[in-house]
Amino acid sequence: MTTKDLLLQEIDQVPEHILEEVLDFVRSLKAKPQPEIDPKVWQAYLDSEREREEVYRRLANS
């Protein structure tokens, strides 16, 4: 499941009266300037995340 799929799944569970605040938050994130990330550093992070996916899942579910 992609991050977008997970976000949509979570949004489906948010009460209607809170959705406006969620929308404002997402828009504020888009407005922030994003720092440049060295592609080598990003790839190392992604590799680490894949290697430890099961550990992260267990921690999240505990």
Side-chain angles (χ1 to χ4, degrees):
M1 189 173 282
T2 68
T3 302
K4 186 174 183 176
D5 293 332
L6 292 170
L7 279 167
L8 292 172
Q9 188 176 35
E10 290 296 325
I11 288 171
D12 283 341
Q13 297 174 27
V14 173
E16 185 69 32
H17 67 279
I18 299 177
L19 286 176
E20 188 171 335
E21 185 176 345
V22 172
L23 178 59
D24 290 342
F25 176 71
V26 171
R27 286 180 174 160
S28 74
L29 291 176
K30 287 174 44 180
K32 278 187 187 179
Q34 298 299 316
E36 289 290 321
I37 298 174
D38 182 335
K40 291 178 186 176
V41 172
W42 182 245
Q43 189 58 52
Y45 164 76
L46 292 175
D47 292 344
S48 170
E49 190 177 55
R50 271 192 292 280
E51 290 171 7
R52 294 171 178 83
E53 182 177 2
E54 182 62 26
V55 173
Y56 295 148
R57 187 179 304 114
R58 287 182 184 182
L59 285 171
N61 291 331
S62 64

